Amino acid sequence: MSQTTLNGSPTPAPAPAHVPRPPYKVTARRVLRSEWAKLWSLRSTWITLGLGLLFLLGFGVIAAVHYHADSTSGRQMRPYDAHATALSLSLFGTNFAQLALGVLGVLATAGEYSTGTIRSTLAAVPRRLPVLWSKAAVLGLVALLVATAGVFAAFPIGAGVVSGTPAALSLSHPGVVRSLLGAGLYLGLVTVIGVALGALLRSVAGAIAVLIASLMLVPGLVSLLPSSWQDDISEFLPSNAGASLFALTHDPTSLPPAAGLLVLLGWTALALTGAAYRLLRTDA
């Protein structure tokens, strides 16, 4: 029953007690889910992943068809075809796919700085570094899975095209599966390096320029150095160290797969360290 005062007017009901909402807690899982959602909401993700797959499959098939035509026509083989295998022909598109996937990593971080949305991201995650780690983990994993699927799809096609030629190989040949897995891992790490460069430079154009220079221009410039210097430098470059992961055979001028992986991981850690330092030291 409602209570009344002495003059007959009803007594106002007491206001309900305010129940405070629990504070929002930033967890690693929530940051990962946020980065996953942002990744697939961007059209550039689908474009760059599609281009990466297209380069892996398309250029691999083109290289295999071209080799088959040369080997069956009786024409003199080109010097770089003399030691070609179904594996090396199928992975010919790796040099192009690394650019597409590296650009994907750059856009994931530098793109937020160019649009200003990084302010909202860092406001939601004030500690900042979980954003970088989550972007690297999500982009690296997606690129690894897509690239691995691409190379395992390209190899049977290329091997079928060059079947019956000196380049013929099967999936059961020693080292083939390891090389295909190494190619996927290399492309995944290149994507992480792209993420780090985007966070470090905060410019899409600048980060892409540095990425291309590191992977393609610097190895060409090193080849102009005296041969004694080339042997000491070239094998430790990111692209050359990564190439050792998916090379079927190795010579004294290239690193073994395990050493190449360690060198590439070192470059990746160095890029992420630089990005983390700037993320902590400077404002968005």
Side-chain angles (χ1 to χ4, degrees):
M1 295 178 63
S2 61
Q3 298 180 353
T4 59
T5 59
L6 294 176
N7 59 6
S9 60
T11 304
H18 176 69
V19 180
R21 296 178 60 184
Y24 178 79
K25 185 177 181 181
V26 178
T27 63
R29 182 179 178 182
R30 286 174 173 172
V31 179
L32 283 170
R33 289 178 61 185
S34 172
E35 295 302 326
W36 178 268
K38 285 193 290 184
L39 174 66
W40 296 112
S41 66
L42 298 174
R43 186 181 303 173
S44 59
T45 300
W46 300 94
I47 294 174
T48 50
L49 287 177
L51 285 175
L53 277 177
L54 178 63
F55 291 155
L56 284 172
L57 295 172
F59 284 103
V61 171
I62 291 172
V65 169
H66 207 288
Y67 177 90
H68 184 270
D70 286 348
S71 62
T72 57
S73 63
R75 292 180 294 186
Q76 184 178 3
M77 300 289 287
R78 293 165 296 180
Y80 53 85
D81 281 341
H83 303 288
T85 64
L87 179 68
S88 63
L89 294 170
S90 300
L91 296 180
F92 184 78
T94 303
N95 291 331
F96 304 94
Q98 67 181 352
L99 298 180
L101 295 178
V103 168
L104 171 63
V106 168
L107 292 175
T109 47
E112 284 202 55
Y113 281 97
S114 63
T115 59
T117 55
I118 191 64
R119 296 184 180 89
S120 301
T121 299
L122 297 182
V125 188
R127 293 176 60 189
R128 298 191 175 193
L129 285 185
V131 174
L132 178 62
W133 309 143
S134 297
K135 284 183 183 294
V138 169
L139 269 294
L141 178 61
V142 169
L144 171 65
L145 295 177
V146 171
T148 302
V151 296
F152 271 94
F155 178 77
I157 300 173
V161 172
V162 300
S163 178
T165 68
L169 280 180
S170 65
L171 193 63
S172 60
H173 189 279
V176 170
V177 172
R178 187 267 305 162
S179 298
L180 294 175
L181 292 174
L185 180 58
Y186 169 65
L187 293 173
L189 289 175
V190 166
T191 306
V192 175
I193 291 175
V195 171
L197 289 176
L200 176 62
L201 301 177
R202 302 184 178 183
S203 165
V204 173
I208 292 176
V210 171
L211 179 72
I212 295 175
S214 302
L215 297 178
M216 304 189 74
L217 297 183
V218 173
L221 294 175
V222 170
S223 65
L224 302 177
L225 297 175
S227 57
S228 59
W229 292 15
Q230 293 181 34
D231 297 338
D232 296 333
I233 297 175
S234 62
E235 62 184 0
F236 295 101
L237 297 177
S239 56
N240 292 341
S244 67
L245 297 180
F246 53 89
L248 192 60
T249 58
H250 298 83
D251 54 48
T253 62
S254 63
L255 296 173
L261 176 59
L262 289 176
V263 171
L264 187 59
L265 287 174
W267 283 109
T268 306
L270 180 63
L272 286 173
T273 301
Y277 179 82
R278 186 172 187 194
L279 190 60
L280 290 175
R281 292 292 180 176
T282 60
D283 293 330

